[in-house]
Amino acid sequence: AEGVVENGGVINKLGTYQLAICAREHKIPFYVAAESYKFARLYPLSQGDLPVEPKHVDFGPLMPKSLVVDNPSRDYTPPRYITLLFTDLGVRTPAAVSDELILDCAV
């Protein structure tokens, strides 16, 4: 993961959210690997809360010049779709990220 936010959600490359939804619908656990230094005191509630860093898409001459394509480079996966996080601190539930951030501030 590129980042793990305070509520246990994950910011990662585009497509992670879709994979997590598919895993949940098929009753397959969804695991995320992330180092603890990627834990962040951010609290996005949806994809719309992420900063926009669009990737360029070139469809060539088939795409009209006036058409605007929204192609974000990363997405936000809410904690309800994540089974466990594998970190350098050990295996954690998404809810435990907040606890780790609190402990980090106390040190």
Side-chain angles (χ1 to χ4, degrees):
E2 291 184 20
V4 181
V5 297
E6 190 166 359
N7 68 354
V10 172
I11 298 171
N12 203 21
K13 300 283 187 241
L14 193 63
T16 305
Y17 183 36
Q18 290 82 357
L19 288 173
I21 290 171
C22 290
R24 183 175 181 184
E25 288 300 313
H26 291 282
K27 297 177 177 35
I28 297 171
F30 189 78
Y31 303 115
V32 174
E35 299 88 348
S36 61
Y37 74 85
K38 293 181 179 179
F39 290 5
R41 287 198 170 277
L42 301 171
Y43 209 91
L45 298 176
S46 71
Q47 181 71 25
D49 294 333
L50 295 180
V52 177
E53 294 178 24
K55 294 188 304 186
H56 176 69
V57 178
D58 184 10
F59 291 106
L62 301 175
M63 188 170 105
K65 300 261 188 242
S66 61
L67 185 65
V68 177
V69 177
D70 184 17
N71 188 27
S73 60
R74 53 193 46 83
D75 63 19
Y76 167 69
T77 304
R80 68 180 171 272
Y81 296 108
I82 301 167
T83 308
L84 291 172
L85 296 160
F86 290 84
T87 75
D88 53 313
L89 302 173
V91 180
R92 302 285 191 261
T93 63
V97 173
S98 172
D99 297 337
E100 292 296 338
L101 287 168
I102 290 168
L103 288 174
D104 192 39
C105 286
V107 176

